[in-house]
Amino acid sequence: MNASFLTRRRLLALSVASLAGPAGAQGFAGLGRQSGEFARPRPETAITFPADHAPHPAFRIEWWYVTANLTGPDGSPYGVQWTLFRSALRPEPDPAGWATSQAWMGHAALTTPERHFATERLARGGIGQAGVTLSPFSAWIDEWTLSGPDLRQVTMKAAGADFAFALELATEAPYVLQGNNGYSVKSAAGQASHYYSQPFYDVSGKITLPDGDVPVTGEAWLDREWSSQPLSGDQEGWDWFSLHLDGGDKLMGFRLRGTPDFTAATWIGADGSVTPYNDGVFSARPLERSDVAGREIPTRWQVSLPPRAIDVTVTALNEAAWMPLSFPYWEGPVIVDGSHSGRGYLEMTGYG
């Protein structure tokens, strides 16, 4: 590995880290910083497809986020994550080449009941190393790709030093607009994002573990979100649930930890019907904590949504699903038991 490559990588790392501001700055990864001159989400803004699959460079932060719950031939459960983040360093017209103000970051992970693998990529926009195009659809960072004729039918690939996956995702279901027609409020003070999901992907393909390839099938969930200040200054992080329930219904719910906590949820019927719930209806209460990477992390939860008679226990498939990356967090597959059964994913940020 030559010196110039190492220098570029250090510059990329510094560019991404600068987005968080000073140590301890507002919220996880600095996402509670004031939006300044960046664009702000507006409740009257209509989300349109396919246009809003593309980047929104006037906003400071956005992501293309896929999680998949998978099963091997012997019934073994697995989970994978593929994420591309775009962050703007300045709210200015974007110059070409290395002078670009756009920083990109990719996260990939693979989880089994016994092991968790995670890795990261960093890039600057403007040089072709990372980006998103619409027709045909492609989101990429280096050789990691989420691409296909459109976002309803894509191939998802990523690899680390000791794992890889290559999966086919397909659906004919409509996209789900979270919150109020895609305007998702995150705090009593009014912080918000534009947010939509596609929770109905069918998945097939293979994962690669240190001892070989495993054919898998399952279901995947895409989250697309963009904002310039998605947290308020006193919110330290979130606990985010995306649950596939037996029978085909889906549940998205989050708790943003602050003073006080702020919650929201969306019930997604198997028929594609969507019902949003505002602050205070959804609840998530930690039941057990585990020592993960030297931190006390909730790995078993009581989750409820009374209007839908949801009262379930959500348990980590692998307690050690820690993402030791530029902005460390916990992300992994979960098992759902109680009034309903199923599986899904849980993301937890801001735990030290």
Side-chain angles (χ1 to χ4, degrees), residues 214-231:
V214 180
V216 291
T217 58
E219 51 205 344
W221 184 305
L222 165 78
D223 273 341
R224 278 282 291 117
E225 196 161 6
W226 58 99
S227 184
S228 294
Q229 187 193 353
L231 302 182

Side-chain angles (χ1 to χ4, degrees), residues 12 21 44 57 98 114 170 187 199-200 205 250 253 268 303 344:
L12 291 173
E44 65 273 15
W98 280 92
E114 300 81 23
S187 77
F200 288 106
K250 317 286 184 178
I268 306 161
V303 169

Side-chain angles (χ1 to χ4, degrees), residues 1 3-15 98 119-123 129 142:
M1 190 176 293
S4 62
F5 177 84
L6 288 172
T7 299
R8 288 195 297 270
R9 184 166 180 82
R10 291 189 186 105
L11 288 171
L12 291 173
L14 288 170
S15 296
W98 280 92
T119 191
E120 178 178 71
R121 295 291 175 89
L122 303 172
Q129 187 186 359
D142 296 334

Side-chain angles (χ1 to χ4, degrees), residues 19-20 25-27 30-40 60 91 189 191 227-234:
L19 299 171
Q26 302 149 323
L31 296 179
R33 286 190 300 153
Q34 293 293 318
S35 57
E37 296 180 6
F38 287 99
R40 300 180 186 182
R60 181 157 54 195
Q191 277 71 30
S227 184
S228 294
Q229 187 193 353
L231 302 182
S232 67
D234 67 348

Side-chain angles (χ1 to χ4, degrees), residues 10 16 19 120 125 127 133 151 154-155 220 259 269 286 295 300 314 320:
R10 291 189 186 105
V16 173
L19 299 171
E120 178 178 71
I127 59 172
T133 58
L151 202 45
V154 288
T155 299
T259 310
R295 300 161 173 84
R300 188 166 178 265
V314 175

Side-chain angles (χ1 to χ4, degrees), residues 83-175:
T83 311
L84 182 64
F85 301 93
R86 182 202 60 80
S87 299
L89 304 176
R90 300 178 300 275
E92 300 172 359
D94 194 32
W98 280 92
T100 179
S101 64
Q102 304 297 311
W104 296 80
M105 180 167 61
H107 289 179
L110 191 159
T111 307
T112 79
E114 300 81 23
R115 302 188 68 180
H116 178 73
F117 308 90
T119 191
E120 178 178 71
R121 295 291 175 89
L122 303 172
R124 289 293 289 267
I127 59 172
Q129 187 186 359
V132 177
T133 58
L134 282 185
S135 185
F137 179 82
S138 184
W140 77 93
I141 184 166
D142 296 334
E143 79 280 10
W144 298 4
T145 57
L146 181 71
S147 60
D150 57 44
L151 202 45
R152 295 183 187 277
Q153 183 179 349
V154 288
T155 299
M156 185 171 74
K157 296 180 179 179
D162 45 10
F163 77 98
F165 53 81
L167 303 170
E168 303 294 329
L169 284 61
T171 185
E172 293 298 326
Y175 296 101

Side-chain angles (χ1 to χ4, degrees), residues 195-243:
Y195 178 17
Y196 69 87
S197 303
Q198 176 49 266
F200 288 106
Y201 285 114
D202 294 319
V203 183
S204 62
K206 71 175 182 179
I207 61 173
T208 301
L209 296 165
D211 53 356
D213 292 345
V214 180
V216 291
T217 58
E219 51 205 344
W221 184 305
L222 165 78
D223 273 341
R224 278 282 291 117
E225 196 161 6
W226 58 99
S227 184
S228 294
Q229 187 193 353
L231 302 182
S232 67
D234 67 348
Q235 289 174 325
E236 62 186 21
W238 59 79
D239 309 301
W240 209 288
F241 300 80
S242 56
L243 306 181

